[in-house]
Amino acid sequence: MNTMLRWSPTRQFHFHQDADNLFERFVGRATDEADQGSSWLPAAEGWLEDGTYVIQLALPGVDPKDVKVSWMDNVLTVKGESRADHDATGKDYFVREVVYGAFERRFRLPEGVNAAEVEAKYANGILALRVPAPRAATPMMIEVNAA
């Protein structure tokens, strides 16, 4: 089974990131006006299957009512929010790894996609998006003739 990992030039040098994450666990994350990114990114995978782009996002614990899918300029955008359903004040956590907050993922697809045919289904914490690929983006098999 092949597993694709997101390439990072600093993957082997993650000591500073680990130290920052540990620091943030104890004192909280510093807020910076320049930091306008998402508070977390859901894991995603995508593939081409029978002329359809299939994109799945892991959204455990996210209410489907808090997820919005849009299409503009060949970009499929998924926005949403994972909300804490309990009050954390006064609790003495010994571990807390669940991430809450807003997220946004964007996927650029080729021209010619009919946005009206895009399907989005949410089940068991997985958002599955099916986007029919335009004919030009569908691989075509070419026969190899031996001489």
Side-chain angles (χ1 to χ4, degrees), residues 44-98:
E45 60 183 356
W47 62 91
L48 187 61
E49 176 182 282
D50 298 326
T52 300
Y53 291 105
V54 179
I55 302 169
Q56 291 185 340
L57 286 92
L59 302 175
V62 176
D63 188 332
K65 291 180 273 189
D66 293 329
V67 177
K68 304 291 183 234
V69 179
S70 63
W71 177 267
M72 184 175 187
D73 296 330
N74 302 319
V75 176
L76 184 67
T77 302
V78 179
K79 292 181 181 182
E81 186 171 358
S82 174
R83 300 178 192 273
D85 59 356
H86 60 279
D87 185 15
T89 56
K91 293 182 181 168
D92 189 16
Y93 287 95
F94 62 89
V95 65
R96 189 165 188 209
E97 297 177 346
V98 177

Side-chain angles (χ1 to χ4, degrees), residues 19-53:
D20 288 346
N21 289 342
L22 183 62
F23 181 76
E24 287 175 5
R25 275 187 171 169
F26 287 101
V27 299
R29 184 164 188 239
T31 57
D32 183 358
E33 289 182 9
D35 182 16
Q36 297 295 322
S38 298
S39 61
W40 68 286
L41 289 176
E45 60 183 356
W47 62 91
L48 187 61
E49 176 182 282
D50 298 326
T52 300
Y53 291 105

